[in-house]
Amino acid sequence: MRRFKLETKQIEFLKKMYPDNELVQRVLKSEKNGTFEVDVDTKIDFMEFIEDESIYWMDANHEASPKTYMLESIRDDIFYQTN
């Protein structure tokens, strides 16, 4: 199992942006007071999804958008807490 915390604004962002995404919702359902606990495979899948999404939200000039920055902050926070 992997345990990590996210800030309230990060959690709200995921809830708002991905209400119908099964993987994101599986992670969000594991929350207890801002702390998440997921199995290793779910963590890996989630990190890969976040990475892909951060690239997807870059603008036409391949510059980071506010959504890209938010997703990267989520990815980085999880990485540092689980490695």
Side-chain angles (χ1 to χ4, degrees):
M1 297 301 277
R2 295 293 182 260
R3 186 175 297 165
F4 56 88
K5 290 185 176 191
L6 293 176
E7 298 174 5
T8 302
K9 67 180 180 178
Q10 293 170 321
I11 297 167
E12 292 304 317
F13 174 84
L14 290 171
K15 286 179 180 179
K16 179 181 176 187
M17 292 301 302
Y18 304 102
D20 299 324
N21 183 283
E22 182 181 319
L23 175 61
V24 173
Q25 293 306 310
R26 185 176 353 139
V27 171
L28 290 174
K29 285 180 183 174
S30 74
E31 180 195 5
K32 292 183 183 171
N33 299 320
T35 300
F36 300 82
E37 188 171 8
V38 296
D39 62 57
V40 174
D41 290 337
T42 299
K43 182 236 173 181
I44 291 168
D45 291 345
F46 187 65
M47 294 291 278
E48 289 177 355
F49 173 79
I50 294 294
E51 181 70 27
D52 290 346
E53 283 294 294
S54 70
I55 292 168
Y56 174 78
W57 287 109
M58 289 182 160
D59 68 16
N61 296 320
H62 302 288
E63 298 291 330
S65 70
K67 291 176 185 174
T68 301
Y69 286 123
M70 177 59 80
L71 289 164
E72 289 176 350
S73 77
I74 293 168
R75 181 203 59 208
D76 292 349
D77 284 352
I78 295 170
F79 178 80
Y80 291 128
Q81 292 175 58
T82 58
N83 288 311

